[in-house]
Amino acid sequence: MKDNQDISSRKLIDRLVPDPHWGAMQGMLATTFDLRPEFLETDFLPSVFGLCAWDDQSWATRITLEKRLFELDAAVILAEARRYRGRPRSLRLDVRPAVSPRGSVLHAKVTLLLFERAVRLIVGSANLTKQGYRENREVIAVLTATQKSKKEAALITQGLTGMESALSSWLTPEARKLIRRSIATVQPWLNGNPDSDTAFIWSNGQTRLWHEFVGRWPVGETVKRISIISPFWSQDASLDRKST
């Protein structure tokens, strides 16, 4: 995809297609606030598997997808329980409605994909819906580590370590094994210490995300500029303005 392509024609779904050199996918774990089962099966999964365009009238297409799902060690989707609208047709997908304590919600949108020769972590604002990946203006980071491309290995390791802790109460044994296997896959690709200026931060309902952010800010450094892209705004925004 060219950088100068008109923004209205860019689709996040196009960023999901894997490189054939990575080998077969071995596992998938995704979290989402909102889930559209038909989008997951007819658009998202064919894209992450690198399959051809979906033909819902063709049994061959359905059989191919089922075969790929059968070959995975884990295929787990965690979705916010209060937004649950049913599951996809395939019983090979383990869809878990996540019930959060203390009134909090599962709002993370993170997808872990383990391939034979690559680990990919997709992090962004898009739900697993057509609107999120094809229609809305969303932000997404696609982190990929391979033997030949190790730059993002440390950040992926940070993200996966935090993932196991933050999602602990909902993870199936298969999902937990997938996270640990992915970390083990990335370990040989780590080059020294992680970049101290870059961090992958999770919140877990007890620790506020902004506390984590501020706590990692270098002591003594002046904040010159902060850019925030979000459809939401804190009710305490007026207090924040007074302190800046």
Side-chain angles (χ1 to χ4, degrees), residues 15-17 22 111-113 118-122 142-144:
R15 297 293 308 275
L16 303 184
V17 179
W22 299 343
T111 299
L112 166 62
L113 302 172
V119 176
R120 171 167 272 194
L121 197 59
I122 303 168
V142 183
L143 308 175
T144 307

Side-chain angles (χ1 to χ4, degrees), residues 118-131:
V119 176
R120 171 167 272 194
L121 197 59
I122 303 168
V123 187
S125 60
N127 286 298
L128 292 178
T129 65
K130 179 181 178 182
Q131 291 79 10

Side-chain angles (χ1 to χ4, degrees), residues 113-171:
L113 302 172
L114 174 63
F115 297 86
E116 289 178 302
R117 293 179 290 277
V119 176
R120 171 167 272 194
L121 197 59
I122 303 168
V123 187
S125 60
N127 286 298
L128 292 178
T129 65
K130 179 181 178 182
Q131 291 79 10
Y133 274 86
R134 287 199 174 274
E135 297 176 1
N136 296 346
R137 299 199 177 199
E138 308 272 359
V139 177
I140 194 169
V142 183
L143 308 175
T144 307
T146 68
Q147 176 66 36
K148 295 183 179 180
S149 181
K150 307 174 183 179
K151 182 175 63 174
E152 294 169 341
L155 191 57
I156 289 175
T157 301
Q158 268 192 14
L160 294 180
T161 302
M163 187 181 209
E164 183 172 11
S165 175
L167 305 178
S168 179
S169 59
W170 303 309
L171 291 177

